[in-house]
Amino acid sequence: MATIYWAGDSTVQYNSILTYPQTGIGQVFHLFLKPEVRVENHAKNGRSTKSFIDESRLTAIYDQITEGDFLFIQFGHNDEKKEDPARYTEPFSEYMANLEKFVNVARNKKAWPVLITPLERRCFTEDGHLGLGEHTDYVAAMKQTAENLNVPLIDLYSASRAELRKAGVEKTKDWYMHLPAGIYPYHMEGLTDNTHLKYAGAVVFGGCIARGLKELGGIYSDLLMAWE
């Protein structure tokens, strides 16, 4: 039985009632998987490749992952925070070097690494068009790392932008943490958050990753149940 280990940030993490209704992609990804495939979600809110490694979270994965498992690696949102030296990484140097460390953890245990470009934020402009976003250098750097190391890559950044553009300004509020008053816990009411996801958004973007695995074929598509 294969296990998917997930290393990432708040867009992936498993949430409790304390952050309800926030939902990470890794929290719902079992919906797309065959029943025998397990998910070990190590993603954590606010982490970059740097802080994830510095807090020994990658070490914890190394201690558990075994031959034939998968390591899904999805970072970028917090690596780009220049104001925070504990998390910031320069995209074409330290970020790429850190991604290689994640890949090596998988390969050293005879597991399969998969690089996943960061999810796009809900970045519509005032005229309703999808803006450029903030991840472009990190997407390019991850793609270069995948090419350098011959690692499979799923371009969630491009897939999520396509979904955002297709759905438009209003519908995508249901995907991200836009929380009207009178429905959600009082400490969440009125929140407008274009980064973190609700359940519907996690499912939409989890579907993007599932389609990416299907396109990779072989052992990657074998993880999925028939759903399309």
Side-chain angles (χ1 to χ4, degrees):
M1 177 176 63
T3 299
I4 296 171
Y5 287 81
W6 215 309
D9 54 35
S10 57
T11 63
V12 180
Q13 77 165 7
Y14 192 94
N15 291 268
S16 70
I17 193 62
L18 297 177
T19 48
Y20 174 83
Q22 185 176 323
T23 308
I25 294 171
Q27 189 173 344
V28 304
F29 199 65
H30 64 277
L31 296 172
F32 302 95
L33 301 173
K34 292 177 178 176
E36 62 268 24
V37 179
R38 296 177 58 249
V39 175
E40 286 281 343
N41 192 351
H42 288 251
K44 192 67 175 176
N45 181 54
R47 272 49 178 192
S48 67
T49 56
K50 176 180 172 62
S51 60
F52 196 95
I53 292 169
D54 288 347
E55 294 173 4
S56 299
R57 296 179 185 277
L58 183 56
T59 300
I61 292 175
Y62 182 83
D63 290 341
Q64 298 176 42
I65 198 167
T66 61
E67 182 175 355
D69 288 337
F70 296 79
L71 177 56
F72 288 5
I73 305 155
Q74 183 182 329
F75 288 97
H77 280 81
N78 299 301
D79 286 81
E80 63 196 26
K81 295 185 181 297
K82 289 186 177 182
E83 72 280 4
D84 186 354
R87 293 187 288 179
Y88 176 70
T89 61
E90 198 283 328
F92 295 103
S93 57
E94 187 178 11
Y95 178 67
M96 293 179 68
N98 287 346
L99 291 175
E100 185 169 1
K101 293 176 183 178
F102 284 85
V103 169
N104 287 340
V105 158
R107 286 180 166 169
N108 288 343
K109 288 299 199 71
K110 298 182 180 180
W112 303 98
V114 178
L115 291 170
I116 303 173
T117 57
L119 174 71
E120 180 61 286
R121 292 186 171 96
R122 185 181 170 277
C123 55
F124 289 98
T125 61
E126 290 185 2
D127 62 2
H129 292 92
L130 192 64
L132 183 60
E134 301 175 0
H135 304 321
T136 50
D137 283 347
Y138 292 86
V139 171
M142 184 178 279
K143 289 181 177 180
Q144 185 62 57
T145 302
E147 183 177 343
N148 292 348
L149 303 178
N150 193 27
V151 177
L153 178 136
I154 295 173
D155 190 1
L156 177 60
Y157 172 76
S158 296
S160 60
R161 284 183 64 83
E163 293 292 341
L164 285 162
R165 192 177 289 111
K166 181 170 62 175
V169 174
E170 292 303 317
K171 183 176 180 179
T172 54
K173 290 178 181 178
D174 294 333
W175 298 355
Y176 289 78
M177 290 279 280
H178 283 241
L179 308 181
I183 299 176
Y184 297 100
Y186 71 92
H187 65 289
M188 292 283 193
E189 286 187 348
L191 181 67
T192 299
D193 178 345
N194 292 316
T195 296
H196 301 102
L197 303 172
K198 295 193 294 245
Y199 186 89
V203 172
V204 168
F205 298 127
C208 293
I209 295 173
R211 290 185 193 95
L213 291 170
K214 188 174 181 179
E215 290 172 4
L216 289 174
I219 59 172
Y220 307 99
S221 61
D222 284 345
L223 297 168
L224 304 169
M225 65 168 60
W227 64 285
E228 281 193 332

